[in-house]
Amino acid sequence: MDFELDADQRAWREEVRVFLREHVTPQLRAELAASDLEVLDGEVAAFRRAVGEKGWFGLNWPVEFGGLGLGPIRQHLLVSEFEYWGVPGPDLTVTSVAPMIMRHGTEHNKSEFLPPIARGELICAVGYSEPGAGTDLASLRTRAVLEGTMEDGEWVINGSKIWNSGAQRSTHEWLCVRTDPDAPKHKGISVIIVPVDAPGVTIRPLVAWSGYRTNEAFFDNVRVPATNLVGEANKGWRYITGALDLERGALTNAGDLRRAVDDLLDLARRPRRDGVVPASEPAVRRRLAQLDADVEVAKLMGFEAASMLADSIIPSIEVSTEKIFTSELRQRIAEVALDLLGPDGLLGHRTPDAPDDGRFERLYRIAPLMRFGAGANEVLRDVIAQRGHAMPSYGR
């Protein structure tokens, strides 16, 4: 096993860095700090257009689908660099929705949805969780009924979703619905792509403890063309689980963790208000060294998953393990940072005089969110036990 990048991969990483040095302007950073990506226009939108013009939203896609065909390793390197710089890169629409359309979609699905996704114009929120269903995604009750035929009919959709992150800045929903209420609960589910501006769709904000906005979404007699069904009716569970595995892999990229630990190492070398230099204490140095080593482990986990994708294998156990490890590591980084900062660490995000603009205080509040996003860690430990070690299910 070779743990080093080859010459082509290093050249690619440098090409991405050159792009970022050119396009990550002070104006873009100011807008990101002020808006948290909540805006649909402005510097963030201009940056996304620049990424789209490079063809990098379809970087990993086969050429036959309008992509560049450069493979998962290069995509992993690109996402790592974007996360290190703290700017928006290929989102879940690109990394988990589009691959499922390529694998399972109809020819109409591919021609209708893939080109605008590649241009960065079609952005999906993923509609999985429902009120009252807890972590059991298959207990969804949102219904879709077909009126007419698959050629010229319509799906009529009623129900609601919760924790519908990003819906306020999305153009469509990758919506999981029940299409056969009489089938076993994992067998009667389908996926339908729904424009968020369709009549009957309502998006309401939910603000988490971290200040992060997620949403409730309501669907009241929403009608979409029958051809918006992804793949085959009642086969959606397979598409959902595949997309979730890819989502976990995308969410666990260690680029932002590398940046957080680099910033923490820099912080530890600077004297606090009381004159103490944290790095002068052996116990502090040991904690920082452990975090630094753990980030390198997380990076290797990411390359393992990307290598599996390069072999046309969707990693499952691997990304579940990686997601648990990185989400718990993020929490430990935040805890060490607040210990180093002392009372100043309690100054909140966007508070005057907050060290590093309060980014570590915010990291502390947002870290728990990552422990249950894309599947709670407790559920993923069950996945590892059942899929990885053939242990029995207890019927969750």
Side-chain angles (χ1 to χ4, degrees):
M1 181 179 291
D2 189 349
F3 287 92
E4 296 295 331
L5 300 179
D6 62 28
D8 287 344
Q9 291 164 342
R10 288 196 298 273
W12 165 248
R13 185 175 62 184
E14 183 55 27
E15 181 180 342
V16 174
R17 288 176 176 175
V18 168
F19 173 86
L20 291 170
R21 282 195 288 270
E22 180 182 350
H23 289 84
V24 180
T25 63
Q27 293 80 9
L28 174 63
R29 290 210 175 278
E31 187 174 291
L32 286 168
S35 67
D36 293 334
L37 300 178
E38 301 303 325
V39 291
L40 292 172
D41 204 353
E43 298 293 328
V44 173
F47 180 78
R48 283 183 58 85
R49 283 196 296 274
V51 176
E53 288 167 2
K54 296 284 286 185
W56 287 355
F57 287 122
L59 171 72
N60 180 35
W61 297 5
V63 175
E64 65 194 90
F65 295 124
L68 300 181
L70 295 180
I73 298 293
R74 292 201 184 200
Q75 168 141 317
H76 182 74
L77 288 168
L78 179 138
V79 173
S80 296
E81 290 300 317
F82 274 51
E83 290 204 353
Y84 189 85
W85 284 62
V87 293
D91 59 17
L92 296 179
T93 313
V94 174
T95 58
S96 63
V97 169
M100 289 298 106
I101 294 174
M102 293 179 205
R103 283 173 179 258
H104 304 292
T106 64
E107 291 307 310
H108 184 273
N109 293 153
K110 295 170 186 173
S111 63
E112 179 82 6
F113 300 120
L114 292 178
I117 291 175
R119 293 192 297 270
E121 297 169 357
L122 194 160
I123 304 170
C124 282
V126 291
Y128 293 151
S129 300
E130 294 194 2
T135 59
D136 187 2
L137 195 157
S139 293
L140 63 87
R141 291 178 294 181
T142 295
R143 290 279 311 275
V145 177
L146 180 63
E147 290 188 358
T149 69
M150 282 301 300
E151 285 70 35
D152 59 5
E154 290 183 319
W155 292 101
V156 182
I157 302 168
N158 284 282
S160 64
K161 298 289 177 178
I162 197 168
W163 316 129
N164 196 218
S165 297
Q168 77 277 16
R169 57 177 180 272
S170 298
T171 60
H172 291 72
E173 288 274 352
W174 164 266
L175 191 68
C176 303
V177 295
R178 188 160 297 285
T179 44
D180 184 352
D182 298 322
K185 68 179 186 179
H186 293 88
K187 303 291 186 183
I189 294 173
S190 299
V191 176
I192 298 175
I193 294 182
V194 179
V196 295
D197 61 356
V201 178
T202 303
I203 307 293
R204 294 180 184 168
L206 287 173
V207 180
W209 174 56
S210 61
Y212 175 79
R213 175 179 169 173
T214 182
N215 300 284
E216 296 175 288
F218 301 90
F219 304 87
D220 182 11
N221 288 314
V222 176
R223 307 180 78 91
V224 299
T227 50
N228 279 27
L229 175 79
V230 175
E232 298 181 54
N234 304 320
K235 298 289 181 65
W237 186 249
R238 183 182 179 190
Y239 314 156
I240 296 165
T241 53
L244 274 170
D245 283 336
L246 292 172
E247 179 180 342
R248 287 165 191 144
L251 285 178
T252 54
N253 190 294
D256 68 322
L257 300 183
R258 180 72 272 165
R259 181 57 180 265
V261 171
D262 285 352
D263 288 349
L264 199 51
L265 292 168
D266 180 61
L267 192 67
R269 298 186 190 99
R270 290 184 261 154
R272 297 187 311 224
R273 286 174 192 256
D274 57 8
V276 173
V277 177
S280 64
E281 300 174 13
V284 169
R285 291 201 297 274
R286 281 196 295 273
R287 294 179 78 185
L288 292 172
Q290 183 66 59
L291 295 180
D292 190 73
D294 287 346
V295 168
E296 291 305 303
V297 171
K299 285 172 61 179
L300 292 176
M301 288 178 164
F303 278 114
E304 179 190 27
S307 297
M308 293 178 70
L309 287 169
D311 292 333
S312 300
I313 300 169
I314 295 180
S316 178
I317 305 305
E318 295 78 9
V319 291
S320 295
T321 305
E322 184 186 358
K323 193 264 183 178
I324 293 169
F325 184 78
T326 56
S327 62
E328 294 180 352
L329 174 57
R330 181 174 281 100
Q331 182 76 52
R332 286 190 285 118
I333 292 170
E335 290 170 354
V336 171
L338 292 197
D339 286 348
L340 290 186
L341 289 166
D344 284 352
L346 300 178
L347 295 174
H349 180 53
R350 298 172 186 160
T351 300
D353 299 327
D356 288 325
D357 295 324
R359 63 164 301 199
F360 287 110
E361 185 271 348
R362 189 173 190 227
L363 180 67
Y364 181 82
R365 285 188 290 117
I366 207 167
L369 187 71
M370 301 304 291
R371 293 209 308 268
F372 62 81
N377 285 1
E378 290 78 7
V379 173
L380 296 186
R381 285 186 163 94
D382 282 348
V383 168
I384 294 168
Q386 291 164 21
R387 296 186 196 170
H389 302 288
M391 293 183 180
S393 168
Y394 58 87
R396 182 193 291 274

